[in-house]
Amino acid sequence: MANNRFWADSRLEPKRQHRWLLFIGGRAKIPAYIIKKVDKPKITVNSTEHKFFGHSFFYPGHVTWDQTAVTLVDPIDPDTSNILYGAIRAAGYDPPTDRDGDAPHTVSKAKATNHLGQIRLQQMDPDNKPVETWKLFNPWILDVAWGTLDYSSDDMVELQVTFRYDYATYKRGG
C-alpha cells in the first residue's frame, strides 16, 4: 500500500538534471556558468570468462573509469576556446612551426593534470546545498571539438571537451 502513495509524499525530492555545478580548477579556470552539460562519472567492471563442462562462468575483474564529456558555451570573454587551447599547450603540445627542425614537445600527464587541477561535480538540492559530490583525479583533456559554425543559425557556439581521468570518488553531500 505504501508504494501506491510514493509520489504523493511531498517530502520526496528526486535529484534533478538541472541542479548541478562543475568546477574545473587549476590554472585552466573554466567558469561554472559557461558549462552547459556534463556526463557523470561511469565505471566499467571487466569480466573474465571461465568455461567448465560446457558452461560459462563469469568473474568480476578490474574497474575502469570511463571518460567524461562536457559541453561548454564559448563566450567572447572569457574565451573558452583560448582557455582550452592554452590547457593543451600547457600540457606540452607545441605546434610544428619551428623551421630549425627542433622536435616539438609532447604532451605529458604531469603537465596536463597540473594545469587542470581537480575536477569536482556537485549535484544540488532545491536549496542549492550539495547532495552529492564527485571528484575526478588526475584529469586531462582527451579531445576538444571547437564547435560548428552555421550562417542559418543564431545559436551560441558550443564546445565539446572530453576528460580522461584515473579514478573518481563519490561523497554524499558537499
Side-chain angles (χ1 to χ4, degrees):
M1 271 299 182
N3 287 341
N4 293 340
R5 291 177 247 184
F6 179 73
W7 290 109
D9 186 351
S10 65
R11 296 170 296 167
L12 174 70
E13 184 63 43
K15 294 177 184 175
R16 302 291 192 100
Q17 286 188 3
H18 67 276
R19 292 185 189 139
W20 56 273
L21 290 170
L22 182 68
F23 301 96
I24 302 173
R27 287 177 258 178
K29 298 277 193 244
I30 297 175
Y33 64 88
I34 63 174
I35 302 169
K36 186 174 179 179
K37 187 173 165 182
V38 63
D39 291 336
K40 290 174 71 171
K42 177 185 170 196
I43 63 168
T44 301
V45 179
N46 298 321
S47 66
T48 300
E49 181 179 10
H50 177 69
K51 293 187 183 259
F52 183 70
F53 281 112
H55 294 281
S56 293
F57 299 90
F58 296 91
Y59 296 90
H62 294 97
V63 171
T64 302
W65 288 89
D66 296 337
Q67 56 205 26
T68 295
V70 178
T71 303
L72 310 116
V73 294
D74 192 12
I76 294 171
D77 187 26
D79 185 348
T80 312
S81 292
N82 190 49
I83 292 170
L84 293 174
Y85 188 71
I88 297 293
R89 294 292 305 267
Y93 174 69
D94 189 20
T97 58
D98 190 351
R99 293 185 182 147
D100 295 333
D102 290 339
H105 300 109
T106 58
V107 174
S108 95
K109 183 175 180 176
K111 290 178 184 175
T113 58
N114 184 43
H115 189 76
L116 282 178
Q118 191 177 70
I119 295 178
R120 185 170 40 106
L121 172 62
Q122 289 185 322
Q123 265 193 274
M124 314 303 258
D125 69 8
D127 297 322
N128 289 327
K129 293 180 183 156
V131 292
E132 71 177 44
T133 300
W134 288 94
K135 290 182 181 178
L136 281 56
F137 289 85
N138 298 323
W140 48 275
I141 296 174
L142 181 63
D143 64 50
V144 178
W146 271 278
T148 301
L149 303 176
D150 181 354
Y151 280 122
S152 66
S153 174
D154 60 356
D155 292 342
M156 292 183 276
V157 173
E158 293 182 354
L159 302 156
Q160 305 289 328
V161 61
T162 305
F163 294 102
R164 188 58 148 143
Y165 54 97
D166 290 334
Y167 65 97
T169 60
Y170 171 85
K171 179 182 174 188
R172 185 174 178 171

